[in-house]
């Protein structure tokens, strides 16, 4: 069964000077289309459905931090991967979010064509919207294949982005505690 995306990949192969009917490439358009659908499945997800009511009453008003959440995304400029990790924290105000939901929120936005700066903001805004937290902090560190495989070809560069909302933006002590917990401050 062929679909429109498969046909586009066949044309890309032709455009590169390849024969999409040669043995090694016959199934490539179908596989590439399937892979791209998977890599971009975040478009099919919805925040409310993803969270699915996994908010739980809690008297805790101390920082909740989930660090080193691996992420895989595609640069919207070159369709090349960027790979890294996200660190997310929030200060609850009467309810906490199910632990796996934090990672799922990161994945939902990472599995779209992205730039890291927007991804960081989208994760922070989503956690804020779902939890109503007193503050949310997100730091993402990633290596970008568009910078490593082409262009300047810098193999060891890591891009860091952060978004601080509420208490994390207003209080240097709160921000410092978060950065210390994720190993980014002395």
């Amino acid at each position: 069964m062929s679909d429109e995306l498969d046909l586009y990949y066949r044309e890309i192969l032709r455009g590169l000077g390849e024969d999409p009917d040669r043995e090694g490439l016959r199934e490539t358009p179908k596989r590439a289309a399937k892979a791209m659908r998977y890599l971009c499945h975040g478009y099919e997800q919805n925040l409310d459905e993803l969270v699915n009511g996994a908010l739980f009453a809690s008297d805790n008003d101390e920082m909740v931090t989930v660090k080193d959440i691996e992420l895989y995304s595609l640069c919207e400029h070159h369709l090349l991967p960027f790979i890294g990790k996200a660190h997310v924290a929030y200060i609850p105000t009467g309810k906490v979010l199910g632990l796996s939901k934090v990672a799922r929120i990161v994945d939902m936005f990472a599995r779209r064509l992205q730039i890291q700066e927007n991804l960081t903001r989208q994760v922070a805004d989503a956690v804020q919207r779902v939890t109503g937290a007193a503050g949310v902090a997100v730091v993402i560190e990633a290596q970008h294949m568009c910078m490593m495989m082409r262009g300047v070809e810098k193999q060891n560069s890591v891009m860091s982005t952060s978004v601080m909302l509420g208490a994390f933006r207003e209080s240097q002590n709160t921000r410092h505690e978060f950065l210390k917990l994720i190993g980014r401050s002395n």
Side-chain angles (χ1 to χ4, degrees):
M1 179 171 126
S2 181
D3 72 7
E4 195 173 16
L5 199 51
D6 298 17
L7 297 174
Y8 291 138
Y9 276 109
R10 283 184 64 77
E11 290 307 310
I12 288 170
L13 291 172
R14 276 194 188 96
L16 294 172
E18 270 290 356
D19 173 8
D21 292 318
R22 79 172 169 84
E23 183 181 356
L25 293 177
R26 253 183 243 132
E27 297 298 315
T28 297
K30 183 169 61 175
R31 286 191 299 264
K34 182 178 179 182
M36 188 59 79
R37 279 194 227 55
Y38 178 78
L39 294 173
C40 294
H41 74 267
Y43 290 115
E44 299 168 6
Q45 295 180 300
N46 161 306
L47 183 60
D48 295 326
E49 290 173 7
L50 183 135
V51 171
N52 194 26
L55 286 165
F56 307 100
S58 175
D59 293 335
N60 179 40
D61 62 357
E62 297 293 327
M63 188 182 307
V64 174
T65 304
V66 184
K67 69 180 209 169
D68 296 327
I69 303 166
E70 69 268 8
L71 66 89
Y72 309 92
S73 194
L74 291 174
C75 161
E76 68 184 38
H77 299 140
H78 302 100
L79 300 183
L80 290 172
F82 63 93
I83 299 164
K85 54 189 170 183
H87 313 288
V88 179
Y90 67 98
I91 300 173
T93 55
K95 52 190 171 186
V96 293
L97 182 60
L99 177 60
S100 72
K101 302 304 182 182
V102 176
R104 290 181 192 278
I105 288 170
V106 170
D107 282 347
M108 180 179 78
F109 291 109
R111 294 301 186 161
R112 299 175 181 186
L113 301 179
Q114 277 290 7
I115 61 171
Q116 184 176 326
E117 297 90 336
N118 291 348
L119 173 59
T120 309
R121 169 61 69 178
Q122 290 165 351
V123 170
D125 288 346
V127 171
Q128 178 65 51
R129 182 168 91 68
V130 167
T131 64
V136 175
V138 177
V139 169
I140 294 179
E141 303 164 304
Q143 290 188 288
H144 292 250
M145 297 303 124
C146 57
M147 191 163 165
M148 296 170 71
M149 296 174 66
R150 53 159 302 283
V152 297
E153 296 184 20
K154 297 302 176 204
Q155 304 308 303
N156 298 306
S157 62
V158 176
M159 180 179 183
S160 295
T161 51
S162 68
V163 171
M164 306 287 168
L165 304 175
F168 290 94
R169 186 173 200 76
E170 297 158 6
S171 168
Q172 185 174 353
N173 288 339
T174 303
R175 185 171 46 257
H176 180 74
E177 179 183 350
F178 167 65
L179 294 172
K180 188 172 182 178
L181 285 170
I182 65 169
R184 302 300 173 264
S185 178
N186 298 340

